[in-house]
mmCIF file of all heavy atoms in Angstrom:
data_model
loop_
_atom_site.group_PDB
_atom_site.id
_atom_site.type_symbol
_atom_site.label_atom_id
_atom_site.label_comp_id
_atom_site.label_asym_id
_atom_site.label_seq_id
_atom_site.Cartn_x
_atom_site.Cartn_y
_atom_site.Cartn_z
ATOM 1 N N ILE A 619 2.786 -27.388 -0.978
ATOM 2 C CA ILE A 619 3.357 -27.261 0.361
ATOM 3 C C ILE A 619 3.290 -25.782 0.820
ATOM 4 O O ILE A 619 2.880 -25.528 1.980
ATOM 5 C CB ILE A 619 4.808 -27.768 0.420
ATOM 6 C CG1 ILE A 619 4.874 -29.272 0.117
ATOM 7 C CG2 ILE A 619 5.455 -27.522 1.782
ATOM 8 C CD1 ILE A 619 6.246 -29.851 -0.019
ATOM 9 N N GLY A 620 3.722 -24.889 -0.031
ATOM 10 C CA GLY A 620 3.669 -23.487 0.326
ATOM 11 C C GLY A 620 2.255 -22.993 0.618
ATOM 12 O O GLY A 620 2.059 -22.192 1.544
ATOM 13 N N SER A 621 1.274 -23.463 -0.157
ATOM 14 C CA SER A 621 -0.096 -23.077 0.055
ATOM 15 C C SER A 621 -0.609 -23.560 1.402
ATOM 16 O O SER A 621 -1.333 -22.845 2.110
ATOM 17 C CB SER A 621 -0.977 -23.606 -1.085
ATOM 18 O OG SER A 621 -0.543 -23.090 -2.331
ATOM 19 N N VAL A 622 -0.304 -24.847 1.701
ATOM 20 C CA VAL A 622 -0.740 -25.419 2.979
ATOM 21 C C VAL A 622 -0.169 -24.617 4.172
ATOM 22 O O VAL A 622 -0.864 -24.298 5.135
ATOM 23 C CB VAL A 622 -0.346 -26.908 3.099
ATOM 24 C CG1 VAL A 622 -0.562 -27.425 4.490
ATOM 25 C CG2 VAL A 622 -1.139 -27.729 2.105
ATOM 26 N N VAL A 623 1.131 -24.301 4.110
ATOM 27 C CA VAL A 623 1.789 -23.534 5.150
ATOM 28 C C VAL A 623 1.153 -22.109 5.302
ATOM 29 O O VAL A 623 0.900 -21.645 6.408
ATOM 30 C CB VAL A 623 3.307 -23.378 4.912
ATOM 31 C CG1 VAL A 623 3.930 -22.443 5.946
ATOM 32 C CG2 VAL A 623 3.947 -24.770 4.954
ATOM 33 N N ALA A 624 0.852 -21.497 4.129
ATOM 34 C CA ALA A 624 0.230 -20.144 4.127
ATOM 35 C C ALA A 624 -1.117 -20.193 4.776
ATOM 36 O O ALA A 624 -1.485 -19.335 5.577
ATOM 37 C CB ALA A 624 0.164 -19.618 2.729
ATOM 38 N N VAL A 625 -1.920 -21.214 4.442
ATOM 39 C CA VAL A 625 -3.249 -21.360 5.013
ATOM 40 C C VAL A 625 -3.171 -21.593 6.523
ATOM 41 O O VAL A 625 -3.985 -21.031 7.291
ATOM 42 C CB VAL A 625 -4.064 -22.517 4.288
ATOM 43 C CG1 VAL A 625 -5.322 -22.780 5.055
ATOM 44 C CG2 VAL A 625 -4.359 -22.143 2.849
ATOM 45 N N MET A 626 -2.239 -22.465 6.948
ATOM 46 C CA MET A 626 -2.030 -22.684 8.356
ATOM 47 C C MET A 626 -1.751 -21.356 9.112
ATOM 48 O O MET A 626 -2.292 -21.059 10.142
ATOM 49 C CB MET A 626 -0.866 -23.669 8.622
ATOM 50 C CG MET A 626 -1.236 -25.123 8.297
ATOM 51 S SD MET A 626 0.195 -26.228 8.338
ATOM 52 C CE MET A 626 0.760 -25.959 10.026
ATOM 53 N N GLY A 627 -0.882 -20.579 8.514
ATOM 54 C CA GLY A 627 -0.517 -19.270 9.092
ATOM 55 C C GLY A 627 -1.701 -18.326 9.216
ATOM 56 O O GLY A 627 -1.912 -17.662 10.215
ATOM 57 N N LEU A 628 -2.559 -18.392 8.172
ATOM 58 C CA LEU A 628 -3.715 -17.499 8.141
ATOM 59 C C LEU A 628 -4.711 -17.863 9.238
ATOM 60 O O LEU A 628 -5.343 -17.013 9.837
ATOM 61 C CB LEU A 628 -4.383 -17.556 6.770
ATOM 62 C CG LEU A 628 -3.583 -16.791 5.735
ATOM 63 C CD1 LEU A 628 -4.018 -17.135 4.307
ATOM 64 C CD2 LEU A 628 -3.768 -15.302 5.950
ATOM 65 N N TYR A 629 -4.869 -19.164 9.502
ATOM 66 C CA TYR A 629 -5.809 -19.579 10.517
ATOM 67 C C TYR A 629 -5.245 -19.451 11.944
ATOM 68 O O TYR A 629 -6.028 -19.287 12.894
ATOM 69 C CB TYR A 629 -6.384 -20.974 10.176
ATOM 70 C CG TYR A 629 -7.363 -20.846 9.098
ATOM 71 C CD1 TYR A 629 -7.089 -21.172 7.794
ATOM 72 C CD2 TYR A 629 -8.628 -20.257 9.304
ATOM 73 C CE1 TYR A 629 -7.972 -20.991 6.752
ATOM 74 C CE2 TYR A 629 -9.550 -20.095 8.302
ATOM 75 C CZ TYR A 629 -9.199 -20.470 7.023
ATOM 76 O OH TYR A 629 -10.095 -20.268 6.007
ATOM 77 N N VAL A 630 -3.942 -19.431 12.070
ATOM 78 C CA VAL A 630 -3.334 -19.039 13.363
ATOM 79 C C VAL A 630 -3.625 -17.553 13.602
ATOM 80 O O VAL A 630 -3.995 -17.134 14.699
ATOM 81 C CB VAL A 630 -1.813 -19.310 13.383
ATOM 82 C CG1 VAL A 630 -1.158 -18.685 14.621
ATOM 83 C CG2 VAL A 630 -1.520 -20.817 13.360
ATOM 84 N N PHE A 631 -3.487 -16.780 12.470
ATOM 85 C CA PHE A 631 -3.820 -15.348 12.539
ATOM 86 C C PHE A 631 -5.305 -15.152 12.952
ATOM 87 O O PHE A 631 -5.617 -14.310 13.793
ATOM 88 C CB PHE A 631 -3.530 -14.747 11.178
ATOM 89 C CG PHE A 631 -3.869 -13.271 11.064
ATOM 90 C CD1 PHE A 631 -2.880 -12.277 11.293
ATOM 91 C CD2 PHE A 631 -5.131 -12.804 10.791
ATOM 92 C CE1 PHE A 631 -3.128 -10.951 11.241
ATOM 93 C CE2 PHE A 631 -5.430 -11.463 10.697
ATOM 94 C CZ PHE A 631 -4.432 -10.546 10.928
ATOM 95 N N LEU A 632 -6.199 -15.957 12.337
ATOM 96 C CA LEU A 632 -7.624 -15.843 12.631
ATOM 97 C C LEU A 632 -7.932 -16.238 14.074
ATOM 98 O O LEU A 632 -8.781 -15.646 14.715
ATOM 99 C CB LEU A 632 -8.366 -16.770 11.626
ATOM 100 C CG LEU A 632 -9.897 -16.643 11.633
ATOM 101 C CD1 LEU A 632 -10.345 -15.249 11.238
ATOM 102 C CD2 LEU A 632 -10.498 -17.655 10.619
ATOM 103 N N TRP A 633 -7.199 -17.232 14.583
ATOM 104 C CA TRP A 633 -7.321 -17.673 15.966
ATOM 105 C C TRP A 633 -6.990 -16.491 16.883
ATOM 106 O O TRP A 633 -7.666 -16.210 17.856
ATOM 107 C CB TRP A 633 -6.456 -18.863 16.184
ATOM 108 C CG TRP A 633 -6.459 -19.406 17.607
ATOM 109 C CD1 TRP A 633 -7.419 -19.284 18.500
ATOM 110 C CD2 TRP A 633 -5.417 -20.216 18.178
ATOM 111 N NE1 TRP A 633 -7.094 -19.950 19.685
ATOM 112 C CE2 TRP A 633 -5.875 -20.537 19.478
ATOM 113 C CE3 TRP A 633 -4.195 -20.717 17.742
ATOM 114 C CZ2 TRP A 633 -5.092 -21.331 20.356
ATOM 115 C CZ3 TRP A 633 -3.436 -21.489 18.603
ATOM 116 C CH2 TRP A 633 -3.885 -21.795 19.894
ATOM 117 N N GLY A 634 -5.891 -15.823 16.561
ATOM 118 C CA GLY A 634 -5.453 -14.635 17.366
ATOM 119 C C GLY A 634 -6.466 -13.529 17.298
ATOM 120 O O GLY A 634 -6.790 -12.857 18.310
ATOM 121 N N LYS A 635 -7.045 -13.302 16.109
ATOM 122 C CA LYS A 635 -8.054 -12.222 15.939
ATOM 123 C C LYS A 635 -9.301 -12.554 16.785
ATOM 124 O O LYS A 635 -9.885 -11.672 17.422
ATOM 125 C CB LYS A 635 -8.419 -12.097 14.448
ATOM 126 C CG LYS A 635 -9.378 -10.987 14.105
ATOM 127 C CD LYS A 635 -8.721 -9.627 14.279
ATOM 128 C CE LYS A 635 -9.659 -8.522 13.935
ATOM 129 N NZ LYS A 635 -9.084 -7.173 14.163
ATOM 130 N N ASN A 636 -9.701 -13.842 16.766
ATOM 131 C CA ASN A 636 -10.887 -14.280 17.499
ATOM 132 C C ASN A 636 -10.625 -14.135 19.010
ATOM 133 O O ASN A 636 -11.480 -13.686 19.766
ATOM 134 C CB ASN A 636 -11.188 -15.704 17.141
ATOM 135 C CG ASN A 636 -12.442 -16.188 17.857
ATOM 136 O OD1 ASN A 636 -13.534 -15.659 17.688
ATOM 137 N ND2 ASN A 636 -12.342 -17.260 18.638
ATOM 138 N N ASN A 637 -9.381 -14.490 19.484
ATOM 139 C CA ASN A 637 -9.065 -14.388 20.888
ATOM 140 C C ASN A 637 -9.042 -12.942 21.326
ATOM 141 O O ASN A 637 -9.510 -12.618 22.431
ATOM 142 C CB ASN A 637 -7.635 -14.999 21.054
ATOM 143 C CG ASN A 637 -7.189 -15.015 22.533
ATOM 144 O OD1 ASN A 637 -6.699 -14.001 23.039
ATOM 145 N ND2 ASN A 637 -7.420 -16.153 23.180
ATOM 146 N N GLU A 638 -8.577 -12.081 20.470
ATOM 147 C CA GLU A 638 -8.562 -10.644 20.725
ATOM 148 C C GLU A 638 -9.967 -10.076 20.907
ATOM 149 O O GLU A 638 -10.258 -9.275 21.782
ATOM 150 C CB GLU A 638 -7.862 -9.899 19.577
ATOM 151 C CG GLU A 638 -7.338 -8.526 19.922
ATOM 152 C CD GLU A 638 -6.496 -7.974 18.781
ATOM 153 O OE1 GLU A 638 -7.081 -7.809 17.637
ATOM 154 O OE2 GLU A 638 -5.314 -7.740 18.961
ATOM 155 N N THR A 639 -10.893 -10.538 20.007
ATOM 156 C CA THR A 639 -12.274 -10.120 20.043
ATOM 157 C C THR A 639 -12.986 -10.585 21.330
ATOM 158 O O THR A 639 -13.675 -9.827 21.967
ATOM 159 C CB THR A 639 -13.059 -10.641 18.804
ATOM 160 O OG1 THR A 639 -12.374 -10.278 17.624
ATOM 161 C CG2 THR A 639 -14.460 -10.096 18.793
ATOM 162 N N GLU A 640 -12.727 -11.832 21.701
ATOM 163 C CA GLU A 640 -13.333 -12.387 22.927
ATOM 164 C C GLU A 640 -12.867 -11.649 24.159
ATOM 165 O O GLU A 640 -13.605 -11.373 25.086
ATOM 166 C CB GLU A 640 -12.979 -13.884 23.040
ATOM 167 C CG GLU A 640 -13.770 -14.784 22.049
ATOM 168 C CD GLU A 640 -13.409 -16.211 22.172
ATOM 169 O OE1 GLU A 640 -12.483 -16.560 22.955
ATOM 170 O OE2 GLU A 640 -14.023 -17.056 21.504
ATOM 171 N N THR A 641 -11.576 -11.309 24.162
ATOM 172 C CA THR A 641 -10.996 -10.587 25.314
ATOM 173 C C THR A 641 -11.623 -9.217 25.450
ATOM 174 O O THR A 641 -11.955 -8.782 26.598
ATOM 175 C CB THR A 641 -9.473 -10.444 25.140
ATOM 176 O OG1 THR A 641 -8.865 -11.761 24.979
ATOM 177 C CG2 THR A 641 -8.813 -9.745 26.334
ATOM 178 N N SER A 642 -11.786 -8.523 24.318
ATOM 179 C CA SER A 642 -12.368 -7.185 24.362
ATOM 180 C C SER A 642 -13.809 -7.158 24.817
ATOM 181 O O SER A 642 -14.262 -6.234 25.472
ATOM 182 C CB SER A 642 -12.199 -6.476 23.024
ATOM 183 O OG SER A 642 -12.993 -7.194 22.050
ATOM 184 N N THR A 643 -14.588 -8.243 24.434
ATOM 185 C CA THR A 643 -16.004 -8.283 24.782
ATOM 186 C C THR A 643 -16.200 -8.681 26.265
ATOM 187 O O THR A 643 -17.205 -8.353 26.855
ATOM 188 C CB THR A 643 -16.749 -9.282 23.894
ATOM 189 O OG1 THR A 643 -16.083 -10.543 23.917
ATOM 190 C CG2 THR A 643 -16.833 -8.789 22.482
ATOM 191 N N THR A 644 -15.229 -9.477 26.812
ATOM 192 C CA THR A 644 -15.350 -9.884 28.226
ATOM 193 C C THR A 644 -14.666 -8.951 29.219
ATOM 194 O O THR A 644 -14.742 -9.195 30.422
ATOM 195 C CB THR A 644 -14.729 -11.324 28.420
ATOM 196 O OG1 THR A 644 -13.424 -11.310 27.986
ATOM 197 C CG2 THR A 644 -15.554 -12.334 27.618
ATOM 198 N N LEU A 645 -14.014 -7.929 28.703
ATOM 199 C CA LEU A 645 -13.292 -6.975 29.573
ATOM 200 C C LEU A 645 -14.279 -6.147 30.410
ATOM 201 O O LEU A 645 -15.165 -5.534 29.808
ATOM 202 C CB LEU A 645 -12.423 -6.060 28.697
ATOM 203 C CG LEU A 645 -11.463 -5.164 29.465
ATOM 204 C CD1 LEU A 645 -10.336 -5.963 30.112
ATOM 205 C CD2 LEU A 645 -10.851 -4.129 28.523
ATOM 206 N N PRO A 646 -14.154 -6.084 31.740
ATOM 207 C CA PRO A 646 -15.075 -5.302 32.521
ATOM 208 C C PRO A 646 -14.964 -3.803 32.207
ATOM 209 O O PRO A 646 -13.838 -3.320 31.916
ATOM 210 C CB PRO A 646 -14.641 -5.568 33.978
ATOM 211 C CG PRO A 646 -13.844 -6.832 33.917
ATOM 212 C CD PRO A 646 -13.211 -6.831 32.564
ATOM 213 N N PRO A 647 -16.050 -3.064 32.290
ATOM 214 C CA PRO A 647 -15.996 -1.590 32.009
ATOM 215 C C PRO A 647 -15.066 -0.887 32.946
ATOM 216 O O PRO A 647 -14.436 0.101 32.517
ATOM 217 C CB PRO A 647 -17.452 -1.171 32.229
ATOM 218 C CG PRO A 647 -18.288 -2.405 32.110
ATOM 219 C CD PRO A 647 -17.412 -3.492 32.574
ATOM 220 N N GLN A 648 -14.936 -1.315 34.227
ATOM 221 C CA GLN A 648 -14.075 -0.661 35.153
ATOM 222 C C GLN A 648 -12.621 -0.626 34.701
ATOM 223 O O GLN A 648 -11.879 0.298 34.908
ATOM 224 C CB GLN A 648 -14.103 -1.371 36.544
ATOM 225 C CG GLN A 648 -15.501 -1.373 37.152
ATOM 226 C CD GLN A 648 -16.160 -2.703 36.861
ATOM 227 O OE1 GLN A 648 -16.316 -3.100 35.709
ATOM 228 N NE2 GLN A 648 -16.617 -3.402 37.893
#
Side-chain angles (χ1 to χ4, degrees):
I619 296 173
S621 300
V622 170
V623 173
V625 170
M626 285 171 60
L628 284 164
Y629 284 101
V630 170
F631 179 94
L632 189 61
W633 180 22
K635 185 71 179 176
N636 184 58
N637 184 276
E638 200 174 61
T639 305
E640 287 178 355
T641 304
S642 64
T643 53
T644 56
L645 188 69
Q648 299 97 304

